[in-house]
Amino acid sequence: MKNFEVLGKQDTRSGFGAGLLELGQKNNQVVALCADLTGSLKMNAFEDAYPDRFFQIGIAEANMMGIAAGLTIGGKIPFTGTFANFSTGRVYDQIRQSIAYSNKNVKICASHAGLTLGEDGATHQILEDIGLMKMLPGMTVINPCDYNQTKAATLAIADHVGPVYLRFGRPKVATFIPENQAFIIGKALLLNEGTDVSIFATGHMVWKAIEAGQVLASKGISAEIINIHTIKPLDEEAVLASVAKTKCVVTAEEHQLAGGLGESIAQLLARKTPAPIEFVAVNDSFGESGTPDQLMTKYGLDAINIIEAVEKVIARVDKQFV
Amino acid sequence: MSDNKQLINLCTQIRRDIVRMVAAVSSGHPGGSLGCVEYFVALYQSVMHTKQPFDMNGKDEDLFFLSNGHISPVFYSTLARSGYFPVKELNTFRKINSRLQGHPTTHEGLPGIRIASGSLGQGLSVAIGAAQAKKLNNDSSIIYSLHGDGELQEGQIWEAAMYAAGNNIDNIISTVDYNGKQIDGSLEDVLSLGNLKMKWEAFGWKALEIENGNDLNQVIDGLNLAKSLTGKGQPIVILMKTEMGNGVDYMMGTHKWHGSAPNAEQLESALNQLNETLGDY
């Protein structure tokens, strides 16, 4: 198992803020909109540096999505910022009609996704957003894993023409992706080569997959760990190549099982090459108040859950082939 | 098309197009379409400065957004007869493989359409965004938008109204098709808008009125007055009273033709009331 150096502990939303600020300087067509959560989204630096290109919308997310769609008419590249819950479920029809169906070049940037939002509780902990957004035709869905990858993804989506959903989070987590590593939309990132199982992880679960991989290695299990930062379009080639080698799969995401990354991979495998698969995800449940760590443990999103899923899925392969 | 007689002939021809389009597919929304004919003709033939060929970004030209997308027949006929696409394409309205979807969309690449609409209440926000892009681009053109009165029951309209006034968006002229009717009945019966002019004024808009939105001169004058008031720090709304179904006797004075198409006999009756002035598609 490859060794991953922890470069620091940072929140992915700060990676977004840093990327947005850099974009402000690089691309004068980039504009930013926020619905009264500028501090939480780390958009202050952009606001301070480029006040003419920053739009404070107030607590009116539906209006924000419409204004963003309108700003594209005239060549602007709008980045909207609010919590993931208010970036998706609350404004789904606005996104569907005014952005996705209208094919507007809007970047929907969503912080505080998933359980790790923590104490605010289930009203704010959206676990359905990946599913909602990946169902929209033409929508690109990205969930980067750490500060550096979130920053790189923020820069990359400005150059992609078309609507994008960029999902990130609130807590400080391990930064381990090298600074300035190029972000290629739709290209899975192979983190560790292995032979016994393929672990496909997205977002905050990528680091947990690495932690799980280290424990598995000590048990003699060689895990291939692949970072699926782009859930849509899915890098089918990378997934199929890995599964051809390992014959079994574990997926890991901070999201409902229904509609998430695991579902996308299961669908692909069912079509192309059926293989045993186990899912580490939230199982048809809302979250609740608590610290991020407590919540990840209670809802089965820890490294231990990945390890157990790997052992289970490998046992299923053995049964099939013995 | 410069003098008034020609524009009135165009209005009549557009009305023929509308009833023929909806009758051909036994679906669509003739009532509101017929009520807004003069507005569309005024906008595209007299008031707006537009450029051809169609460009999505619309640099240095006025832009129009239809928020109540169900009145697509009047929009399509006006666009076709203003040179955006061939008039004969009106024949494809609501049919399979058409660019003329039931509700307008950019998805099929129809020239003249800049946003999909149909799900109500979204167009004002989009228009405001386009207005802000104009300002960022130092483009002094004007953004126009049209809204149904029933559509104002959607909350997003008022989010947008609050935002536009709060941010001094003064390059937008929004018009409300104030016909007093929606699918289920009169606005008063379904959900009253109360004092609509006072509502817009309370939200910080300059509110104008057009008493008869089916009088072409009144509409042109009203829009030109609104235009003269742009650039003064305030968004402008026009409450334009129209008659749903205007031009077809049996469609007037009722909400019943909001979303139903005439049958063959009814179509014949409608066409007998509307002379073929410029040639049918």
Side-chain angles (χ1 to χ4, degrees):
Chain A
M1 174 79 190
K2 205 170 129 188
N3 199 32
F4 288 87
E5 189 192 348
V6 177
L7 307 168
K9 282 198 92 178
Q10 291 163 293
D11 44 355
T12 50
R13 57 183 163 147
S14 286
F16 164 69
L20 186 65
L21 179 64
E22 194 172 317
L23 276 175
Q25 192 260 324
K26 274 187 175 162
N27 188 336
N28 63 13
Q29 294 297 78
V30 168
V31 298
L33 302 82
C34 190
D36 196 35
L37 285 170
T38 313
S40 296
L41 267 286
K42 306 293 179 189
M43 297 169 89
N44 309 75
F46 183 96
E47 181 186 11
D48 292 344
Y50 307 102
D52 294 345
R53 288 193 272 145
F54 178 80
F55 300 95
Q56 172 58 268
I57 305 295
I59 310 166
E61 296 82 7
N63 189 38
M64 177 164 74
M65 293 304 165
I67 289 176
L71 278 160
T72 66
I73 301 163
K76 302 302 162 198
I77 307 172
F79 282 62
T80 67
T82 183
F83 288 172
N85 189 32
F86 314 137
S87 293
T88 58
R90 187 179 177 93
V91 290
Y92 197 60
D93 189 46
Q94 284 76 17
I95 294 173
R96 182 176 178 275
Q97 174 172 285
S98 294
I99 296 174
Y101 184 45
S102 293
N103 193 27
K104 296 304 181 200
N105 193 21
V106 175
K107 315 304 170 187
I108 300 162
C109 304
S111 184
H112 292 56
L115 293 171
T116 52
L117 168 139
E119 294 80 354
D120 277 347
T123 53
H124 289 49
Q125 291 162 345
I126 194 161
L127 293 163
E128 302 81 23
D129 54 325
I130 290 174
L132 286 168
M133 299 307 276
K134 82 178 188 186
M135 279 196 294
L136 292 170
M139 182 68 68
T140 295
V141 179
I142 297 173
N143 187 18
C145 64
D146 75 350
Y147 175 98
N148 284 340
Q149 192 174 72
T150 307
K151 184 181 174 192
T154 304
L155 295 170
I157 63 176
D159 294 329
H160 169 87
V161 180
V164 174
Y165 179 59
L166 181 65
R167 178 196 213 235
F168 42 91
R170 174 183 178 231
K172 288 188 162 68
V173 294
T175 301
F176 59 96
I177 297 289
E179 200 182 349
N180 302 324
Q181 182 183 81
F183 186 92
I184 304 167
I185 295 170
K187 182 85 186 140
L189 184 62
L190 175 61
L191 293 172
N192 189 65
E193 283 191 51
T195 52
D196 298 332
V197 63
S198 301
I199 303 176
F200 298 109
T202 193
H204 291 146
M205 294 304 287
V206 176
W207 181 250
K208 291 184 184 264
I210 290 169
E211 290 177 328
Q214 282 153 351
V215 176
L216 289 165
S218 71
K219 293 182 173 193
I221 296 171
S222 163
E224 180 141 297
I225 302 171
I226 296 182
N227 169 205
I228 306 285
H229 49 63
T230 307
I231 291 140
K232 184 184 175 186
L234 185 65
D235 188 345
E236 298 194 352
E237 203 180 315
V239 172
L240 293 173
S242 179
V243 178
K245 181 169 59 172
T246 63
K247 312 292 185 207
C248 62
V249 175
V250 168
T251 62
E253 61 196 306
E254 189 184 346
H255 188 271
Q256 298 287 355
L257 195 167
L261 166 66
E263 188 190 78
S264 289
I265 289 180
Q267 189 195 83
L268 170 68
L269 296 179
R271 278 190 286 118
K272 296 286 174 71
T273 169
I277 179 166
E278 292 291 330
F279 306 96
V280 176
V282 175
N283 190 11
D284 201 24
S285 165
F286 290 105
E288 64 181 81
S289 292
T291 67
D293 285 347
Q294 287 171 334
L295 290 162
M296 295 295 266
T297 300
K298 177 165 178 176
Y299 289 88
L301 302 183
D302 275 335
I304 183 68
N305 305 102
I306 298 175
I307 295 163
E308 287 170 2
V310 164
E311 289 170 340
K312 194 171 165 191
V313 85
I314 288 176
R316 287 175 59 198
V317 178
D318 290 345
K319 264 185 213 155
Q320 264 184 341
F321 292 101
V322 168
Chain B
M1 297 273 178
S2 53
D3 74 35
N4 201 279
K5 177 87 170 76
Q6 275 182 303
L7 293 187
I8 286 168
N9 281 340
L10 177 60
C11 289
T12 306
Q13 187 63 50
I14 289 174
R15 286 195 160 87
R16 277 183 75 89
D17 291 348
I18 291 166
V19 292
R20 291 181 69 232
M21 286 163 73
V22 298
V25 288
S26 303
S27 76
H29 297 260
S33 297
L34 290 166
C36 288
V37 169
E38 283 74 18
Y39 172 80
F40 275 85
V41 168
L43 212 54
Y44 277 88
Q45 296 291 329
S46 173
V47 177
M48 281 207 301
H49 164 69
T50 57
K51 296 202 297 196
Q52 298 274 10
F54 175 73
D55 172 65
M56 179 57 79
N57 284 336
K59 194 173 175 311
D60 297 320
E61 62 174 319
D62 297 333
L63 308 181
F64 170 71
F65 294 93
L66 178 65
S67 190
N68 48 330
H70 55 273
I71 67 165
S72 57
V74 64
F75 194 11
Y76 293 149
S77 172
T78 305
L79 287 175
R81 293 188 180 275
S82 302
Y84 282 84
F85 56 86
V87 171
K88 67 175 190 313
E89 201 171 340
L90 295 175
N91 189 38
T92 70
F93 174 65
R94 283 184 175 243
K95 293 176 182 166
I96 194 81
N97 298 325
S98 173
R99 298 198 291 179
L100 280 61
Q101 292 290 297
H103 295 80
T105 174
T106 59
H107 202 256
E108 316 300 328
L110 187 69
I113 312 290
R114 289 192 167 85
I115 195 81
S117 60
S119 178
L120 294 170
Q122 300 186 26
L124 186 55
S125 304
V126 175
I128 290 166
Q132 294 201 291
K134 290 277 186 208
K135 284 179 180 266
L136 285 173
N137 291 338
N138 296 314
D139 177 345
S140 60
S141 312
I142 294 170
I143 303 293
Y144 294 85
S145 66
L146 181 65
H147 309 269
D149 47 6
E151 183 187 14
L152 305 186
Q153 291 160 355
E154 293 281 6
Q156 189 183 343
I157 290 284
W158 301 101
E159 291 182 9
M162 191 186 304
Y163 178 88
N167 288 279
N168 307 109
I169 312 292
D170 57 4
N171 54 345
I172 186 167
I173 299 171
S174 296
T175 298
V176 176
D177 174 20
Y178 204 2
N179 60 29
K181 296 179 182 65
Q182 56 191 112
I183 290 188
D184 273 1
S186 74
L187 263 71
E188 288 310 310
D189 289 341
V190 177
L191 178 59
S192 174
L193 296 176
N195 188 324
L196 188 57
K197 186 160 190 258
M198 279 174 64
K199 277 195 171 67
W200 283 101
E201 286 170 346
F203 272 77
W205 287 56
K206 175 75 182 169
L208 306 176
E209 290 172 294
I210 294 177
E211 268 312 305
N212 183 359
N214 296 118
D215 177 323
L216 183 64
N217 288 328
Q218 274 195 39
V219 179
I220 293 173
D221 291 348
L223 285 166
N224 282 331
L225 171 64
K227 210 160 138 180
S228 73
L229 297 171
T230 56
K232 298 188 191 303
Q234 214 180 359
I236 297 162
V237 64
I238 301 173
L239 305 182
M240 179 179 74
K241 286 192 183 141
T242 66
E243 182 160 34
M244 188 179 273
N246 185 278
V248 178
D249 56 5
Y250 62 86
M251 290 190 183
M252 294 191 275
T254 171
H255 66 275
K256 297 207 169 97
W257 294 92
H258 186 297
S260 349
N263 62 28
E265 200 179 314
Q266 290 160 335
L267 173 65
E268 195 184 342
S269 161
L271 293 178
N272 284 338
Q273 302 168 46
L274 301 164
N275 292 328
E276 185 179 346
T277 52
L278 302 173
D280 286 340
Y281 62 81

